[in-house]
Amino acid sequence: MTSQKFCTCRPGATVWLTGLPSAGKTTIARELAGRLRAEGSRVEVLDGDEMRSCLSAGLGFGRAERETHVQRVGLVAEVLARNGVIALVPVIAPYAASRAAVRERHANSATAYVEVHVATPVDVCRTRDVKGLYARQAAGAISGLTGVDDPYQIPEVPDLRIETHRQTAAQSATALHTALKERGLA
């Protein structure tokens, strides 16, 4: 009989960063991921755009399709977190009901879940316009842009609210890192 070694690693968790396009969600997630890895944590960044290109390929941007995308990403995050990985999830997730369903999935499996509202005003996001979405929407090339001509339901009581227009990405990552440490998740 062989002996098995069990990992006494830190618990996993899902850290869901929600906010408008160009709010800074992915930037914060990548900054935090580096810090957590340096401390020995197992970390995955499940970027909404990257996940959409493979996990949700072919889905459009109507409400039902956005909700399906959020549920798919939520499932992957929960499975990773349940197995000791910190899943950093920068996904817009514009609808409160979709985010609540993801939170409930985590609660049902007793898996830690932290919702972070990256609360950046639309005018700041429009100025950043990392992917050119706001410019294309203004030119009439696209419609259904979250927070402009499609709704974004602001989280009423997130676990943490980060205002990226008032601090740097490094400061935002530090605030989130501190919150995770306080919860015993980092």
Side-chain angles (χ1 to χ4, degrees):
M1 177 176 267
T2 62
S3 65
Q4 293 181 328
K5 292 184 180 181
F6 293 96
C7 180
T8 57
C9 303
R10 296 179 190 132
T14 292
V15 181
W16 196 283
L17 295 99
T18 179
L20 297 173
S22 297
K25 302 176 299 296
T26 300
T27 302
I28 294 167
R30 294 196 190 289
E31 172 79 21
L32 181 57
R35 294 179 189 196
L36 293 171
R37 286 184 185 116
E39 293 175 350
S41 292
R42 296 170 48 206
V43 180
E44 288 296 331
V45 176
L46 303 178
D47 179 70
D49 291 332
E50 292 174 5
M51 298 300 289
R52 186 173 269 284
S53 71
C54 59
L55 186 66
S56 297
L59 287 182
F61 290 90
R63 184 176 182 129
E65 293 164 310
R66 289 176 192 240
E67 289 175 340
T68 297
H69 174 64
V70 167
Q71 295 314 304
R72 288 177 181 178
V73 176
L75 170 64
V76 172
E78 186 269 331
V79 169
L80 288 169
R82 184 169 19 104
N83 286 284
V85 175
I86 297 175
L88 302 176
V89 188
V91 174
I92 294 169
Y95 305 113
S98 295
R99 294 189 305 264
V102 171
R103 183 185 290 274
E104 183 177 347
R105 169 183 290 287
H106 284 72
N108 289 341
S109 68
T111 303
Y113 178 85
V114 178
E115 182 180 78
V116 180
H117 177 211
V118 182
T120 309
V122 70
D123 291 340
V124 174
C125 295
R126 187 178 284 117
T127 300
R128 292 177 182 170
D129 205 8
V130 178
K131 298 172 195 145
L133 296 174
Y134 293 94
R136 292 188 357 234
Q137 189 276 335
I142 63 170
S143 63
L145 182 59
T146 302
V148 177
D149 59 353
D150 204 57
Y152 176 75
Q153 298 170 344
I154 296 171
E156 292 182 17
V157 187
D159 298 300
L160 180 66
R161 193 176 313 275
I162 295 176
E163 296 182 341
T164 64
H165 59 293
R166 300 188 192 279
Q167 59 191 21
T168 66
Q171 291 168 328
S172 297
T174 296
L176 181 48
H177 194 196
T178 298
L180 294 178
K181 284 183 176 183
E182 290 170 353
R183 289 169 172 78
L185 300 173

